[in-house]
Amino acid sequence: MENNKKRLLKDLPFGNLNKDIVLHKANDSYQVNGGETYYSSGGNSNNGCEVCNEKEKEIIDMIWDNSDWFEIADLKHIDIIPKTTEIIIRFEPIDIEDVESFAKGIIHILPEL
């Protein structure tokens, strides 16, 4: 199965597509997920997706499978940096939905720690 989430390895000169941004290929277009905003009141709102226009799509189509431009945006390695007041968890950029799921999993297991 083809992975449809890839991390950009170089800046592109259009669409605010900078190195490390994760593009999601869906329905013959490319999108950048904006994630969710969570409020202290308990609510949340979706920040939507930025969709590439037709010209941008043509260029991305040409380089999508080129390993010089894109790599699969999987979580492969995590650096954990403990400090007395915080723990920093650092990893290569992945899709914001995957990050949110990861964070929810950490929050879920906190009572067990």
Side-chain angles (χ1 to χ4, degrees), residues 3-18:
N3 190 310
N4 61 355
K5 295 178 184 179
K6 293 187 179 182
R7 179 181 313 113
L8 186 59
L9 300 175
K10 302 176 186 180
D11 291 345
L12 287 172
F14 54 82
N16 294 319
L17 297 176
N18 299 318

Side-chain angles (χ1 to χ4, degrees), residues 74-86:
D74 285 342
L75 186 59
K76 299 176 202 155
H77 174 80
I78 299 173
D79 291 325
I80 298 174
I81 303 153
K83 296 186 177 191
T84 58
T85 59
E86 64 187 357

Side-chain angles (χ1 to χ4, degrees), residues 16-110:
N16 294 319
L17 297 176
N18 299 318
K19 181 180 185 284
D20 290 334
I21 204 159
V22 175
L23 285 170
H24 179 205
K25 184 177 184 179
N27 301 324
D28 200 37
S29 72
Y30 298 97
Q31 305 168 357
V32 177
N33 187 342
E36 301 275 335
T37 298
Y38 297 94
Y39 303 102
S40 59
S41 62
N44 65 308
S45 61
N46 187 296
N47 295 323
C49 290
E50 290 183 41
V51 179
C52 295
N53 67 38
E54 192 59 34
K55 291 291 182 191
E56 294 167 344
K57 181 191 166 309
E58 289 175 21
I59 294 168
I60 295 169
D61 277 342
M62 288 188 289
I63 62 174
W64 183 252
D65 292 319
N66 185 326
S67 61
D68 290 334
W69 284 95
F70 286 99
E71 68 182 2
I72 295 172
D74 285 342
L75 186 59
K76 299 176 202 155
H77 174 80
I78 299 173
D79 291 325
I80 298 174
I81 303 153
K83 296 186 177 191
T84 58
T85 59
E86 64 187 357
I87 297 173
I88 299 169
I89 300 173
R90 186 172 42 214
F91 44 86
E92 294 283 332
I94 57 176
D95 184 69
I96 190 70
E97 286 180 340
D98 296 337
V99 173
E100 290 169 349
S101 294
F102 181 56
K104 287 176 185 177
I106 291 171
I107 291 167
H108 179 74
I109 65 164
L110 280 177

